[in-house]
Amino acid sequence: MAILPILTVPDTILKKKSKPVKKVDDKLRAFMDDMLESMYDAPGVGLAAVQVGKLLRILVIDVSPDDEDPDPHFYINPEITWTSEDLAVYNEGCLSVPEQYADIERPAECKATFIDYDGENQEIHAKGLLATCIQHEMDHLNGIVFIDYLSKIKRSMFVRKVKKFVKEKEE
Ligand code: GNR
Ligand code: NI
């Protein structure tokens, strides 16, 4: 297993649309294991493959409470099939926008279809943090980062702060 470096804004790779996975095999599973390890190391509750530079439609999410056992889930070629009318606001963060947080409003619940780690078709009805996280990660697969929902001025402030954070970390 390996910890992969996580891309940060304004890296243009984060703007690209990810491509569907064609085959779920051991090579892909090894990459997904690396994604999971990288997510736990960060630490974060979700990670999209594009965040580690691979433009494939893969997410890993674990929203289990810190004091409980890990509960990782892999979502391959996920598609949101339904979103609730009622919305929820969550103070979102992103590993690609380190140390910056903003309230983002999204549908409170969603349903999604996806392929799991074993290559089986699955469906999920998500609420709470999981619903927010699935939608946040789905955005990554379409080249969208949560700061794209903010005003231009707030977005550029976040990008400036991330550049400073990354630079200081490198020193
Ligand atoms: O770790 C993360 N926390 C988080 C909190 C609120 C809403 C979304 C997220 S996802 C984020 C990890 C990440 O950047 N995934 O793309
Ligand atoms: Ni993110």
Side-chain angles (χ1 to χ4, degrees):
M1 300 235 278
I3 289 164
L4 310 168
I6 294 174
L7 305 180
T8 54
V9 291
D11 196 313
T12 54
I13 294 173
L14 293 167
K15 295 246 167 224
K16 293 183 191 281
K17 201 175 146 113
S18 295
K19 297 207 158 46
V21 168
K22 288 190 177 144
K23 196 163 162 246
V24 180
D25 55 16
D26 286 345
K27 187 164 156 255
L28 190 83
R29 277 187 279 269
F31 169 67
M32 294 196 294
D33 292 342
D34 287 345
M35 279 181 66
L36 183 68
E37 194 183 6
S38 307
M39 182 188 80
Y40 286 145
D41 178 70
V45 296
L47 188 75
V50 60
Q51 292 180 279
V52 291
K54 214 162 179 98
L55 287 164
L56 284 175
R57 302 187 80 80
I58 306 171
L59 316 174
V60 53
I61 296 177
D62 185 345
V63 293
S64 65
D66 287 343
D67 59 352
E68 286 178 21
D69 289 341
D71 186 23
H73 290 275
F74 295 94
Y75 301 81
I76 301 162
N77 299 343
E79 286 185 48
I80 293 182
T81 54
W82 171 84
T83 52
S84 62
E85 301 252 341
D86 57 309
L87 307 173
V89 176
Y90 206 95
N91 194 246
E92 296 196 16
C94 179
L95 296 173
S96 296
V97 193
E99 310 245 284
Q100 315 304 318
Y101 301 87
D103 283 347
I104 305 289
E105 193 175 48
R106 301 180 187 272
E109 300 178 27
C110 66
K111 286 185 185 175
T113 58
F114 61 98
I115 300 168
D116 70 14
Y117 192 83
D118 301 310
E120 306 284 342
N121 290 312
Q122 301 282 355
E123 195 165 10
I124 187 174
H125 182 165
K127 305 171 190 193
L129 177 59
L130 181 59
T132 294
C133 201
I134 288 175
Q135 293 173 73
H136 172 116
E137 303 308 339
M138 281 298 302
D139 274 352
H140 277 302
L141 302 188
N142 296 322
I144 294 164
V145 179
F146 83 94
I147 58 170
D148 295 333
Y149 296 118
L150 307 176
S151 65
K152 202 184 266 183
I153 187 155
K154 199 153 190 193
R155 182 162 61 245
S156 27
M157 185 185 76
F158 275 23
V159 171
R160 187 165 44 80
K161 287 185 172 173
V162 169
K163 282 182 182 167
K164 186 165 175 271
F165 175 84
V166 170
K167 199 174 148 206
E168 283 172 359
K169 208 180 55 177
E170 279 167 356
E171 280 167 5

